[in-house]
């Protein structure tokens, strides 16, 4: 099999001809996006949807609480939960960061986990976000997927099979137990996942820790312990970060002004929203929007 460097170069070449600009680009397959960034991006709060992220060129460092997660051409990121975290991206005009993101579909995961049957179960708490070393199987599956993206007919006939290939390799890998836990519905991890799903659906509503603990069928102290172990944040911190990232998305889409955004994500006070936003992102909501507009110009 190709070396990691050869594989990275081959994948980078395949991606380069598909991307037209910096940022996230859609591909011919609905659940596959292309990543490109021709500059260094300082440590910035963001949130990924559940996905597999394969870097072909450049590198990223994720910060989740006290954890530091490196992913580069020798590794792929397994993101099982949509967690707010911080990320630093290393790219340049000469060597932009290039990668592929494969969105995880719960129905596909459930089908594949059922088909694979019982596998060795780990007794450690699954990690919702972790970097995994590329092996030969994953390298081959990712290259097949990238080549398929270049041909419309191949995408329509073999695209889903190529995605299954990549997900299958991830299920067999080190983070397989975390992916399986999403659909098997057992244990404390699964209970926290259910609470997080509710928070992401109803993030503008107010919740007490007691309500969330009751939903998870845990005592408040046990719930707080497991929640923080998984998300590296307290429930209140998590909800605040989630609201602020949702607010950023609304602002950068130019669909809401600052006042409308604050109300849409659950803030009752616009000044408090602006203070929290500046503390989290390092600049006010209006400054952030203007800066992003300038970068896109």
């Amino acid at each position: 099999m190709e070396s990691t460097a050869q594989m990275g170069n081959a994948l980078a070449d395949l991606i380069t001809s598909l991307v037209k600009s910096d940022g996230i680009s859609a591909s011919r397959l609905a659940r596959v996006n292309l990543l490109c960034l021709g500059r260094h991006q300082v440590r910035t709060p963001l949130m990924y949807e559940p996905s597999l992220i394969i870097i072909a060129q450049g590198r990223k460092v994720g910060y989740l609480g006290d954890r530091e997660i490196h992913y580069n051409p020798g590794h792929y990121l397994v993101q099982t939960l949509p967690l707010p975290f911080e990320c630093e991206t290393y790219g340049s005009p000469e060597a932009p960061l290039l990668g592929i993101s494969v969105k995880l579909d719960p129905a596909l995961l459930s089908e594949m986990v059922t088909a694979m049957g019982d596998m060795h179960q780990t007794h450690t708490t699954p990690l919702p976000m972790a970097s995994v070393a590329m092996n030969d199987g994953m390298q081959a599956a990712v290259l097949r997927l990238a080549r398929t993206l270049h041909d419309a007919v191949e995408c329509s006939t073999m695209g889903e099979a190529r995605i299954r290939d990549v997900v299958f390799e991830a299920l067999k890998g080190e983070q397989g137990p975390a992916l399986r836990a999403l659909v098997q519905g057992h244990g404390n991890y699964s209970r926290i996942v259910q609470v997080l799903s509710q928070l992401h659906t109803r993030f503008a509503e107010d919740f007490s820790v007691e309500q969330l603990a009751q939903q998870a069928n845990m005592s408040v102290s046990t719930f707080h312990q497991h929640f923080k172990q998984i998300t590296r944040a307290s429930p209140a911190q998590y909800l605040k970060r989630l609201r602020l990232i949702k607010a950023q998305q609304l602002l950068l889409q130019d669909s809401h002004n600052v006042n409308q955004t604050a109300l849409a994500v659950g803030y009752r006070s616009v000044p408090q929203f602006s203070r929290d936003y500046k503390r989290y992102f390092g600049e006010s909501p209006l400054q952030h929007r203007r800066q992003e507009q300038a970068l896109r110009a």
Side-chain angles (χ1 to χ4, degrees):
M1 184 61 200
E2 295 167 293
S3 69
T4 298
Q6 289 173 322
M7 183 269 185
N9 291 337
L11 185 58
D13 288 343
L14 289 166
I15 294 171
T16 298
S17 59
L18 292 171
V19 296
K20 301 295 186 287
S21 61
D22 273 4
I24 300 174
S25 305
S27 77
R28 285 189 166 104
L29 295 174
R31 287 188 284 117
V32 178
N33 287 319
L34 305 168
L35 314 177
C36 179
L37 189 65
R39 58 185 170 88
H40 173 241
Q41 187 172 62
V42 298
R43 183 169 169 172
T44 304
L46 53 77
M47 182 173 64
Y48 292 153
E49 290 301 310
S51 55
L52 306 173
I53 297 171
I54 303 100
I55 301 298
Q57 180 174 281
R59 62 189 178 94
K60 284 178 171 281
V61 183
Y63 302 90
L64 181 63
D66 56 355
R67 293 182 58 213
E68 193 171 298
I69 303 157
H70 295 254
Y71 45 120
N72 49 44
H75 295 78
Y76 63 97
L77 184 78
V78 179
Q79 179 89 31
T80 62
L81 300 176
L83 296 178
F85 72 108
E86 295 179 358
C87 184
E88 185 167 12
T89 302
Y90 295 85
S92 68
E94 301 75 27
L97 176 125
L98 296 167
I100 290 180
S101 171
V102 179
K103 185 178 179 181
L104 293 170
D105 174 47
L108 176 62
L109 267 183
S110 181
E111 176 198 334
M112 294 184 73
V113 167
T114 301
M116 291 171 75
D118 291 333
M119 297 182 70
H120 174 69
Q121 298 296 310
T122 178
H123 296 291
T124 59
T125 300
L127 293 173
M129 176 181 179
S131 178
V132 178
M134 296 285 285
N135 60 20
D136 288 353
M138 180 59 88
Q139 287 183 13
V142 170
L143 284 172
R144 283 194 295 270
L145 174 61
R147 292 184 184 114
T148 297
L149 296 176
H150 284 256
D151 187 279
V153 174
E154 191 168 343
C155 272
S156 62
T157 55
M158 296 299 296
E160 287 302 313
R162 301 296 187 232
I163 291 173
R164 291 176 72 95
D165 255 358
V166 174
V167 175
F168 179 64
E169 292 298 331
L171 281 165
K172 294 193 299 178
E174 293 174 21
Q175 276 294 93
L179 292 167
R180 296 173 73 85
L182 290 178
V183 297
Q184 288 180 324
H186 301 309
N188 293 320
Y189 185 83
S190 178
R191 296 180 191 179
I192 299 298
V193 168
Q194 291 171 11
V195 170
L196 291 174
S197 296
Q198 175 172 306
L199 290 177
H200 278 261
T201 303
R202 301 162 57 188
F203 58 85
E205 299 179 23
D206 291 325
F207 294 95
S208 69
V209 176
E210 289 76 14
Q211 287 175 309
L212 298 175
Q214 184 177 25
Q215 181 188 336
N217 198 23
M218 298 178 182
S219 69
V220 170
S221 60
T222 300
F223 171 76
H224 199 279
Q225 175 190 344
H226 287 291
F227 191 99
K228 194 162 187 177
Q229 182 181 11
I230 291 169
T231 67
R232 292 303 199 270
S234 70
Q237 289 171 329
Y238 182 91
L239 184 56
K240 178 185 284 188
R241 292 171 187 172
L242 174 61
R243 285 174 169 174
L244 291 171
I245 286 176
K246 294 290 188 181
Q248 181 194 47
Q249 293 169 353
L250 291 175
L251 285 167
L252 299 188
Q253 291 166 3
D254 295 329
S255 58
H256 290 61
N257 63 30
V258 174
N259 287 11
Q260 291 169 332
T261 298
L263 293 173
V265 300
Y267 273 83
R268 305 294 177 258
S269 163
V270 175
Q272 183 63 51
F273 165 70
S274 295
R275 285 192 295 271
D276 286 349
Y277 194 100
K278 186 171 185 178
R279 191 176 298 118
Y280 193 45
F281 291 107
E283 53 197 358
S284 72
L286 200 54
Q287 289 172 326
H288 204 162
R289 171 186 270 178
R290 286 172 178 166
Q291 183 185 59
E292 289 297 322
Q293 288 172 335
L295 286 173
R296 296 198 299 261

